[in-house]
Amino acid sequence: MKLKGRTWKFGDNIDTDAIIPARYLNTSDPAELAKHVMEDADRDFPSKVKEGDLIIAEANFGCGSSREHAPIAIKAAGIQAVVAKSFARIFYRNAFNIGLPIFESEEAAKKISEGDEIEIDASRGIIRNLSKKEEYRAKPIPPFMRELISAGGLIEWTKKRVRAS
Amino acid sequence: MTITEKILAAHAGKEKVSPGELINARVDLVLANDITAPISIREFRKIGAKDVFDRDRIALIPDHFAPQKDIQAAEQCRMLRDFSREYDLGLYFEVGRMGVEHALLPEQGLVVPGDLVIGADSHTCTYGALGAFSTGVGSTDVASAMATGECWFRVPETMKFIYYGKLNRWVSGKDLILHTIGDIGVDGALYRAMEFEGEAISSLPMAGRLTMCNMAIEAGGKNGIIVPDVVTEEYVTGRAKREYTLYTSDNDASYVDVREYDCSRIPLTVSCPHLPSNTRPAEELSSIAIDQVVVGSCTNGRIEDMREAAEIIKGRKVSSNTRMIVIPATQQIYLEAVREGLAEIFVEAGAVFSTPTCGPCLGGHMGILAKGERAIATTNRNFVGRMGHPESEVYLSNPAVAAASAVLGRIATPGEVQ
C-alpha cells in the first residue's frame, strides 16, 4: 500500500481536545466530527485540509482523552495517515483498531516541512519526501498490529473469533 | 514480576509475562460513558455476537453530558439505556443514581483489588489505587470486549515512584501527582505502568490514592497502581461486590526507572496552562486572577475533597469577581455532603452546589468558560479549550487551593485565608 499526499505539520503533545474538542462530542457522526478536525490546534484547518493529505507531528500525538472520535475525525476528513515522533498509547490503539494508518518516525517528524509532498510505502515502512528528495524509516509495525490491519480492523478480527468460537 | 505483570499474567492464563509481550487477557469489567458508548454499541452490533459476554460485567454510565444537556446528548444517553434494556445489563446507572464513573465504581465496590478493568475513558486508570490493573481504551476495544470478554494488551514496563517522608500541610495526593507529572512530563511514562510507593503513600488515604492513579494518564502512563495494604483492605471491606485478590510486587521485580521524592520539598502545586506538566508552586501564582473555580470530577470529587474545600470556605464568601462550582462526583457523596452540612457551607458562601456530572471538566456543560476567562479547577486537564473557549485558561490544583482561590478571587494558598 502506498500513501501519497501533501503534509500538514504540528508540534508536540497534540491532545485529543485539540484534534476534536469535547464541545462537538454530542455526536459520533464521522462527517460532523470531520468538520471540526484539529480546530483547536489550527482554527482554519478544517477548511484548508484536502482529501488525501497527511499529518506530520512531533512527540505524544493524541495524548489525553480516549475518545475514538479523534482518529475518526482525522480519517473522515480524508487524511490518509499520521506520521509522528511518538503517539500517546490510547490513540495508537484506536488508530489501528479503526484502520487509520499511523507511522512512528523521529527523522520524518524532524525533517518534513509543512507542504512537502511525501509518499509512504506502508508495508515496508519507508517514508519518501518527494519535495526534499529524502527517505526516512518508520518504526516497524508489531506483528499483531499487522494482523489487525490485514483483518480490516479490530471489529473484523473479533468477528472471526466470535464465529470460530 | 511487578503487580501489573502479575495481574496481566493471571488474566492471560500465563505463569509469567514480560514487558513488550502482546497478550490477550480476560477482563473483569468493561465500562463506557455517554460519549464513548454510542460508538461501542454501533461497533458491537457489527460483530454479530448473539449476546454480551456477561451482562453483569458491563457498566454503562451516562455522566459526561448528563443530566442530558441538549437534544443530541439526550439521544446519546438514550442509546445507553436502550442497549442496557435490550441486553438486560446489570450495571446501567440512570441519572439520579449515577455518578462520575471513576468515583462511582470503586465507591460501589464494583471494581476490586486484582481486577483487570478496561474502560472507554482515559481516566479508567483510577482503579489502580485499589491494586487493580485498569486502563483506558477506545470505544472499539470496548465493543470487542463486550462480545468476547477479552482485550489485547502490550505488557508495559513499570516505572517506580517512591515518596519519602511526610506531606506538608494541605499537600495531598493531587500535589504529589502534579509534581510528578511536572518532573517527568506529559509523555514521561508513555506506554508504561506507574507504581507508587513509599512512606507518604502508605499513609495516604484511599481518596488521595485514587487521585494519583487517576492522573497517571496525564504522564502518558498505561496504568497507575499501588500495592494493596491495610488502607486498601479497610476501603474494600463491606464494599466489594466480588471476591478479590491482593497482589504484590516481588522484591526482585524489574523496573525500567525508579524516581524518588522527598515530600518535605513538595509544595502545594498548580499546573499552569496548557499542559498538566507545566507545574509551579501555588504560592508563586498569587497574581493570577480567577473567574471560575471548579471543585469536582473523577480526580477530586470525593467526599474528602468536598470536606477539604468546605473547611476553607466555611464562614467566608466567594470573591465578588469569581464564581465557584462544586460538583460532588456521585449521588452518595452528594447525600453525605448534605448530611454533613457541607452543601449548606458552599451555598452560604455563594457557590453553586451541583448534581453529579463530568460537566465543565471537559467543557461539556455546567460552567463553560468564555473567551479570555480563567479557571482554577480540581480536574485533570488544562489543554487549550478544555473547559470552553479556545482562548480560555485552566489551572489545576487540589481542592484546598481551589477553595482559597475562590475566596480571594486569585490563585491563593489555604494559609492566606485561614
Side-chain angles (χ1 to χ4, degrees), chain A residues 17 68 87 93 97 158 161, chain B residues 139-140 144 150 152 191:
Chain A
D17 280 279
E68 211 164 280
F87 291 91
R93 284 184 85 95
N97 285 347
T158 305
R161 287 170 59 90
Chain B
S139 296
T140 298
S144 177
E150 292 178 355
W152 65 268
Y191 300 109

Side-chain angles (χ1 to χ4, degrees), chain A residues 137-154:
Chain A
R137 288 212 159 264
K139 273 194 196 166
I141 296 170
F144 175 72
M145 312 310 259
R146 287 175 188 271
E147 199 181 314
L148 275 187
I149 295 167
S150 64
L154 182 65

Side-chain angles (χ1 to χ4, degrees), chain B residues 293 313 316-324 346 348-352 406-409:
Chain B
V293 176
I313 211 93
R316 300 187 172 85
K317 293 284 180 197
V318 174
S319 160
S320 56
N321 299 319
T322 306
R323 54 185 182 268
M324 183 183 193
F346 291 122
E348 288 282 2
V352 166
V407 173
L408 295 181

Side-chain angles (χ1 to χ4, degrees), chain B residues 152-235:
Chain B
W152 65 268
F153 300 95
R154 181 185 163 279
V155 178
E157 294 163 318
T158 299
M159 286 174 91
K160 193 196 286 201
F161 298 84
I162 310 172
Y163 301 86
Y164 295 104
K166 292 197 167 43
L167 301 182
N168 290 314
R169 177 74 176 136
W170 295 110
V171 167
S172 64
K174 183 63 164 287
D175 302 279
L176 294 187
I177 193 66
L178 292 181
H179 182 82
T180 304
I181 296 165
D183 178 40
I184 66 172
V186 289
D187 62 353
L190 191 58
Y191 300 109
R192 292 173 171 173
M194 299 174 78
E195 190 175 320
F196 305 112
E197 64 161 61
E199 187 188 345
I201 302 299
S202 300
S203 53
L204 195 64
M206 185 51 70
R209 297 179 180 196
L210 289 159
T211 302
M212 288 190 74
C213 291
N214 172 274
M215 288 194 72
I217 180 68
E218 311 314 335
K222 183 175 195 129
N223 64 311
I225 199 159
I226 295 170
V227 169
D229 59 8
V230 59
V231 173
T232 323
E233 290 204 68
E234 274 174 18
Y235 184 82

Side-chain angles (χ1 to χ4, degrees), chain A residues 104-118:
Chain A
E104 283 183 285
S105 170
E106 185 171 356
E107 204 189 355
K110 202 162 93 186
K111 294 191 174 165
I112 295 172
S113 313
E114 182 154 295
D116 283 357
E117 283 278 329
I118 66 165

Side-chain angles (χ1 to χ4, degrees), chain B residues 243-288:
Chain B
E243 288 196 16
Y244 55 85
T245 312
L246 304 174
Y247 290 93
T248 57
S249 288
D250 293 327
N251 290 332
D252 62 351
S254 76
Y255 294 90
V256 65
D257 193 6
V258 179
R259 300 255 170 176
E260 297 174 290
Y261 299 98
D262 171 0
C263 290
S264 70
R265 301 174 68 172
I266 297 182
L268 288 164
T269 301
V270 170
S271 292
C272 302
H274 289 286
L275 282 176
S277 57
N278 193 13
T279 52
R280 294 270 299 277
E283 61 183 18
E284 290 177 12
L285 298 168
S286 57
S287 64
I288 307 289

Side-chain angles (χ1 to χ4, degrees), chain B residues 286-299:
Chain B
S286 57
S287 64
I288 307 289
I290 292 295
D291 301 295
Q292 174 168 304
V293 176
V294 174
V295 175
S297 85
C298 58
T299 310

